[in-house]
Structure formats: structure tokens, C-alpha cells
Amino acid sequence: HFNFFCRYRPLVDERFHDLSLDHPLIQSSRGISTILQEQEEELEPLEKLLRLDDEEAHLDISSILWDAASDDEAVRKMIGLAESDKMKLWESNLATKRDSSRSEQRGRNEEKTDKAHHYRNVNIERG
């Protein structure tokens, strides 16, 4: 169930308080996502790992937490995982998945636009 936790983002007051006064933040999810994505480059490797939406990463995290004899050991091993080649692969796979998803969405939007133009032209010809 790490999928929920990797999506949680704390919204700090100094960055989001004024925005929340304009309207509820839940109505600003795209704008907030953009701000949070811009901040991701500044994150520590462990924080990036914890935010990673990858099932294999979640399984590795759970194994580390389950097997660790102490909190310090768990943190040390998770930092090691966050700085490993596996992490780079997961990030690369996620970036590819996002790019593919964006391309598919653009394609669907173009298809909807084409259909709307077609129906408008048909109606004009009939009208």
C-alpha cells in the first residue's frame, strides 16, 4: 500500500498559504503538481525514493523495512537504494511512462478535436 504514501506531498504554509486563500487547494491540483514537480530536483535521494511511484521500488522498500534490525539500519539501506543504479532505472522507466502517457493524451485530444470539427462541418453542410 505504498502507492498512497508515494503520492502524499506536504504543502508548506509559506509556499501554499496565499494560494489556499484564493480557493481550496484541491481545486488547484494541476497547478500544485507543477510547483511540486519543479521542486523535485532539489530533493534528497531518500525523499525521491519515497516519492517514487513504482511497485518494484515499493517492494524493495518494504523488504528493507521488514528486515532491518533498527531504524538506523533501515535508513542507511534505503539511502543506499536511493543512490543505486536501480533507482536510476526506476526514474528512467517512470519518465518514459509519463512521456508515453502525455503522448497518448495528446492523441486523444487531437482525435476529439477532429471529431468535433467533422460534426460541425456536417451540421453546417446540412444547415
Side-chain angles (χ1 to χ4, degrees), residues 45-46 49 64-65 67-84:
L46 180 55
L49 173 63
I64 288 171
L65 294 174
D67 295 338
S70 68
D71 293 347
D72 289 339
E73 180 184 350
V75 170
R76 197 172 49 256
K77 286 184 175 184
M78 286 180 43
I79 290 172
L81 180 60
E83 295 172 342
S84 72

PDB file of all heavy atoms in Angstrom, residues 45-46 49 64-65 67-84:
ATOM      1  N   PRO A  45      18.097  12.234  -2.113  1.00  0.00           N
ATOM      2  CA  PRO A  45      17.825  10.937  -2.756  1.00  0.00           C
ATOM      3  C   PRO A  45      16.782  10.082  -2.019  1.00  0.00           C
ATOM      4  O   PRO A  45      15.927   9.478  -2.653  1.00  0.00           O
ATOM      5  CB  PRO A  45      19.194  10.247  -2.756  1.00  0.00           C
ATOM      6  CG  PRO A  45      20.165  11.379  -2.768  1.00  0.00           C
ATOM      7  CD  PRO A  45      19.517  12.474  -1.955  1.00  0.00           C
ATOM      8  N   LEU A  46      16.836  10.067  -0.686  1.00  0.00           N
ATOM      9  CA  LEU A  46      15.876   9.267   0.074  1.00  0.00           C
ATOM     10  C   LEU A  46      14.449   9.769  -0.148  1.00  0.00           C
ATOM     11  O   LEU A  46      13.521   8.978  -0.336  1.00  0.00           O
ATOM     12  CB  LEU A  46      16.222   9.259   1.562  1.00  0.00           C
ATOM     13  CG  LEU A  46      15.286   8.451   2.464  1.00  0.00           C
ATOM     14  CD1 LEU A  46      15.165   7.011   1.997  1.00  0.00           C
ATOM     15  CD2 LEU A  46      15.760   8.520   3.904  1.00  0.00           C
ATOM     16  N   LEU A  49      13.222   8.626  -3.464  1.00  0.00           N
ATOM     17  CA  LEU A  49      12.845   7.215  -3.407  1.00  0.00           C
ATOM     18  C   LEU A  49      11.452   7.053  -2.810  1.00  0.00           C
ATOM     19  O   LEU A  49      10.618   6.330  -3.345  1.00  0.00           O
ATOM     20  CB  LEU A  49      13.862   6.417  -2.591  1.00  0.00           C
ATOM     21  CG  LEU A  49      13.512   4.956  -2.312  1.00  0.00           C
ATOM     22  CD1 LEU A  49      13.433   4.154  -3.606  1.00  0.00           C
ATOM     23  CD2 LEU A  49      14.517   4.343  -1.351  1.00  0.00           C
ATOM     24  N   ILE A  64      13.278  -3.822   2.940  1.00  0.00           N
ATOM     25  CA  ILE A  64      14.266  -3.160   3.805  1.00  0.00           C
ATOM     26  C   ILE A  64      13.666  -2.884   5.178  1.00  0.00           C
ATOM     27  O   ILE A  64      14.281  -3.157   6.210  1.00  0.00           O
ATOM     28  CB  ILE A  64      14.779  -1.857   3.151  1.00  0.00           C
ATOM     29  CG1 ILE A  64      15.684  -2.195   1.962  1.00  0.00           C
ATOM     30  CG2 ILE A  64      15.521  -0.987   4.168  1.00  0.00           C
ATOM     31  CD1 ILE A  64      16.070  -0.994   1.110  1.00  0.00           C
ATOM     32  N   LEU A  65      12.460  -2.335   5.194  1.00  0.00           N
ATOM     33  CA  LEU A  65      11.810  -2.024   6.474  1.00  0.00           C
ATOM     34  C   LEU A  65      11.552  -3.282   7.297  1.00  0.00           C
ATOM     35  O   LEU A  65      11.711  -3.286   8.523  1.00  0.00           O
ATOM     36  CB  LEU A  65      10.504  -1.260   6.233  1.00  0.00           C
ATOM     37  CG  LEU A  65      10.655   0.139   5.629  1.00  0.00           C
ATOM     38  CD1 LEU A  65       9.282   0.719   5.303  1.00  0.00           C
ATOM     39  CD2 LEU A  65      11.425   1.057   6.573  1.00  0.00           C
ATOM     40  N   ASP A  67      13.193  -6.223   7.120  1.00  0.00           N
ATOM     41  CA  ASP A  67      14.409  -6.935   7.501  1.00  0.00           C
ATOM     42  C   ASP A  67      15.343  -6.146   8.422  1.00  0.00           C
ATOM     43  O   ASP A  67      16.219  -6.733   9.066  1.00  0.00           O
ATOM     44  CB  ASP A  67      15.203  -7.347   6.247  1.00  0.00           C
ATOM     45  CG  ASP A  67      14.433  -8.360   5.401  1.00  0.00           C
ATOM     46  OD1 ASP A  67      13.541  -9.043   5.939  1.00  0.00           O
ATOM     47  OD2 ASP A  67      14.738  -8.450   4.193  1.00  0.00           O
ATOM     48  N   ALA A  68      15.194  -4.841   8.484  1.00  0.00           N
ATOM     49  CA  ALA A  68      16.124  -4.006   9.256  1.00  0.00           C
ATOM     50  C   ALA A  68      16.001  -4.294  10.754  1.00  0.00           C
ATOM     51  O   ALA A  68      14.907  -4.436  11.293  1.00  0.00           O
ATOM     52  CB  ALA A  68      15.863  -2.533   8.981  1.00  0.00           C
ATOM     53  N   ALA A  69      17.141  -4.359  11.397  1.00  0.00           N
ATOM     54  CA  ALA A  69      17.170  -4.595  12.841  1.00  0.00           C
ATOM     55  C   ALA A  69      16.951  -3.308  13.635  1.00  0.00           C
ATOM     56  O   ALA A  69      16.659  -3.366  14.820  1.00  0.00           O
ATOM     57  CB  ALA A  69      18.512  -5.220  13.230  1.00  0.00           C
ATOM     58  N   SER A  70      17.116  -2.153  12.966  1.00  0.00           N
ATOM     59  CA  SER A  70      16.937  -0.873  13.659  1.00  0.00           C
ATOM     60  C   SER A  70      16.499   0.198  12.657  1.00  0.00           C
ATOM     61  O   SER A  70      16.610   0.006  11.443  1.00  0.00           O
ATOM     62  CB  SER A  70      18.243  -0.435  14.326  1.00  0.00           C
ATOM     63  OG  SER A  70      19.193  -0.105  13.326  1.00  0.00           O
ATOM     64  N   ASP A  71      16.052   1.317  13.194  1.00  0.00           N
ATOM     65  CA  ASP A  71      15.681   2.450  12.336  1.00  0.00           C
ATOM     66  C   ASP A  71      16.891   2.935  11.547  1.00  0.00           C
ATOM     67  O   ASP A  71      16.788   3.229  10.352  1.00  0.00           O
ATOM     68  CB  ASP A  71      15.134   3.612  13.168  1.00  0.00           C
ATOM     69  CG  ASP A  71      13.807   3.285  13.836  1.00  0.00           C
ATOM     70  OD1 ASP A  71      13.180   2.262  13.483  1.00  0.00           O
ATOM     71  OD2 ASP A  71      13.398   4.069  14.714  1.00  0.00           O
ATOM     72  N   ASP A  72      18.036   3.023  12.220  1.00  0.00           N
ATOM     73  CA  ASP A  72      19.256   3.500  11.559  1.00  0.00           C
ATOM     74  C   ASP A  72      19.643   2.595  10.389  1.00  0.00           C
ATOM     75  O   ASP A  72      20.037   3.079   9.328  1.00  0.00           O
ATOM     76  CB  ASP A  72      20.423   3.584  12.550  1.00  0.00           C
ATOM     77  CG  ASP A  72      20.263   4.717  13.550  1.00  0.00           C
ATOM     78  OD1 ASP A  72      19.506   5.665  13.252  1.00  0.00           O
ATOM     79  OD2 ASP A  72      20.893   4.649  14.628  1.00  0.00           O
ATOM     80  N   GLU A  73      19.532   1.287  10.600  1.00  0.00           N
ATOM     81  CA  GLU A  73      19.857   0.343   9.529  1.00  0.00           C
ATOM     82  C   GLU A  73      18.898   0.522   8.354  1.00  0.00           C
ATOM     83  O   GLU A  73      19.309   0.526   7.185  1.00  0.00           O
ATOM     84  CB  GLU A  73      19.800  -1.094  10.033  1.00  0.00           C
ATOM     85  CG  GLU A  73      20.134  -2.111   8.942  1.00  0.00           C
ATOM     86  CD  GLU A  73      19.977  -3.557   9.408  1.00  0.00           C
ATOM     87  OE1 GLU A  73      19.787  -3.795  10.620  1.00  0.00           O
ATOM     88  OE2 GLU A  73      20.028  -4.436   8.532  1.00  0.00           O
ATOM     89  N   ALA A  74      17.621   0.687   8.632  1.00  0.00           N
ATOM     90  CA  ALA A  74      16.629   0.866   7.574  1.00  0.00           C
ATOM     91  C   ALA A  74      16.922   2.131   6.774  1.00  0.00           C
ATOM     92  O   ALA A  74      16.916   2.113   5.535  1.00  0.00           O
ATOM     93  CB  ALA A  74      15.220   0.923   8.164  1.00  0.00           C
ATOM     94  N   VAL A  75      17.208   3.219   7.461  1.00  0.00           N
ATOM     95  CA  VAL A  75      17.511   4.484   6.780  1.00  0.00           C
ATOM     96  C   VAL A  75      18.773   4.336   5.945  1.00  0.00           C
ATOM     97  O   VAL A  75      18.822   4.752   4.780  1.00  0.00           O
ATOM     98  CB  VAL A  75      17.638   5.647   7.792  1.00  0.00           C
ATOM     99  CG1 VAL A  75      18.184   6.896   7.127  1.00  0.00           C
ATOM    100  CG2 VAL A  75      16.286   5.931   8.440  1.00  0.00           C
ATOM    101  N   ARG A  76      19.802   3.731   6.501  1.00  0.00           N
ATOM    102  CA  ARG A  76      21.063   3.540   5.788  1.00  0.00           C
ATOM    103  C   ARG A  76      20.858   2.716   4.511  1.00  0.00           C
ATOM    104  O   ARG A  76      21.339   3.079   3.440  1.00  0.00           O
ATOM    105  CB  ARG A  76      22.074   2.870   6.733  1.00  0.00           C
ATOM    106  CG  ARG A  76      23.503   2.963   6.309  1.00  0.00           C
ATOM    107  CD  ARG A  76      24.489   2.462   7.371  1.00  0.00           C
ATOM    108  NE  ARG A  76      24.166   1.160   7.948  1.00  0.00           N
ATOM    109  CZ  ARG A  76      23.637   0.976   9.170  1.00  0.00           C
ATOM    110  NH1 ARG A  76      23.379   2.001   9.938  1.00  0.00           N
ATOM    111  NH2 ARG A  76      23.375  -0.234   9.622  1.00  0.00           N
ATOM    112  N   LYS A  77      20.102   1.627   4.623  1.00  0.00           N
ATOM    113  CA  LYS A  77      19.861   0.773   3.454  1.00  0.00           C
ATOM    114  C   LYS A  77      18.978   1.472   2.422  1.00  0.00           C
ATOM    115  O   LYS A  77      19.167   1.315   1.212  1.00  0.00           O
ATOM    116  CB  LYS A  77      19.236  -0.551   3.884  1.00  0.00           C
ATOM    117  CG  LYS A  77      20.213  -1.481   4.554  1.00  0.00           C
ATOM    118  CD  LYS A  77      19.588  -2.819   4.874  1.00  0.00           C
ATOM    119  CE  LYS A  77      20.632  -3.760   5.444  1.00  0.00           C
ATOM    120  NZ  LYS A  77      20.081  -5.098   5.680  1.00  0.00           N
ATOM    121  N   MET A  78      18.020   2.255   2.880  1.00  0.00           N
ATOM    122  CA  MET A  78      17.147   2.958   1.940  1.00  0.00           C
ATOM    123  C   MET A  78      17.906   4.079   1.228  1.00  0.00           C
ATOM    124  O   MET A  78      17.679   4.317   0.035  1.00  0.00           O
ATOM    125  CB  MET A  78      15.896   3.463   2.640  1.00  0.00           C
ATOM    126  CG  MET A  78      14.959   2.286   2.933  1.00  0.00           C
ATOM    127  SD  MET A  78      13.405   2.664   3.750  1.00  0.00           S
ATOM    128  CE  MET A  78      12.816   4.096   2.973  1.00  0.00           C
ATOM    129  N   ILE A  79      18.810   4.737   1.923  1.00  0.00           N
ATOM    130  CA  ILE A  79      19.652   5.738   1.258  1.00  0.00           C
ATOM    131  C   ILE A  79      20.518   5.051   0.205  1.00  0.00           C
ATOM    132  O   ILE A  79      20.685   5.565  -0.903  1.00  0.00           O
ATOM    133  CB  ILE A  79      20.502   6.526   2.281  1.00  0.00           C
ATOM    134  CG1 ILE A  79      19.601   7.448   3.104  1.00  0.00           C
ATOM    135  CG2 ILE A  79      21.598   7.326   1.575  1.00  0.00           C
ATOM    136  CD1 ILE A  79      20.303   8.132   4.272  1.00  0.00           C
ATOM    137  N   GLY A  80      21.054   3.893   0.557  1.00  0.00           N
ATOM    138  CA  GLY A  80      21.838   3.124  -0.421  1.00  0.00           C
ATOM    139  C   GLY A  80      21.009   2.770  -1.647  1.00  0.00           C
ATOM    140  O   GLY A  80      21.484   2.886  -2.783  1.00  0.00           O
ATOM    141  N   LEU A  81      19.778   2.355  -1.430  1.00  0.00           N
ATOM    142  CA  LEU A  81      18.883   2.042  -2.547  1.00  0.00           C
ATOM    143  C   LEU A  81      18.582   3.292  -3.367  1.00  0.00           C
ATOM    144  O   LEU A  81      18.574   3.260  -4.598  1.00  0.00           O
ATOM    145  CB  LEU A  81      17.579   1.426  -2.016  1.00  0.00           C
ATOM    146  CG  LEU A  81      16.529   1.036  -3.049  1.00  0.00           C
ATOM    147  CD1 LEU A  81      17.070  -0.004  -4.023  1.00  0.00           C
ATOM    148  CD2 LEU A  81      15.279   0.516  -2.342  1.00  0.00           C
ATOM    149  N   ALA A  82      18.377   4.413  -2.673  1.00  0.00           N
ATOM    150  CA  ALA A  82      18.062   5.670  -3.360  1.00  0.00           C
ATOM    151  C   ALA A  82      19.221   6.156  -4.219  1.00  0.00           C
ATOM    152  O   ALA A  82      19.003   6.877  -5.201  1.00  0.00           O
ATOM    153  CB  ALA A  82      17.688   6.739  -2.333  1.00  0.00           C
ATOM    154  N   GLU A  83      20.433   5.774  -3.876  1.00  0.00           N
ATOM    155  CA  GLU A  83      21.621   6.202  -4.628  1.00  0.00           C
ATOM    156  C   GLU A  83      22.114   5.121  -5.581  1.00  0.00           C
ATOM    157  O   GLU A  83      23.170   5.276  -6.192  1.00  0.00           O
ATOM    158  CB  GLU A  83      22.720   6.607  -3.640  1.00  0.00           C
ATOM    159  CG  GLU A  83      22.334   7.835  -2.825  1.00  0.00           C
ATOM    160  CD  GLU A  83      23.312   8.162  -1.713  1.00  0.00           C
ATOM    161  OE1 GLU A  83      24.113   7.273  -1.323  1.00  0.00           O
ATOM    162  OE2 GLU A  83      23.271   9.301  -1.220  1.00  0.00           O
ATOM    163  N   SER A  84      21.335   4.055  -5.757  1.00  0.00           N
ATOM    164  CA  SER A  84      21.766   2.919  -6.566  1.00  0.00           C
ATOM    165  C   SER A  84      21.356   3.060  -8.037  1.00  0.00           C
ATOM    166  O   SER A  84      20.567   3.934  -8.410  1.00  0.00           O
ATOM    167  CB  SER A  84      21.156   1.627  -5.999  1.00  0.00           C
ATOM    168  OG  SER A  84      19.764   1.594  -6.286  1.00  0.00           O
TER     169      SER A  84
END
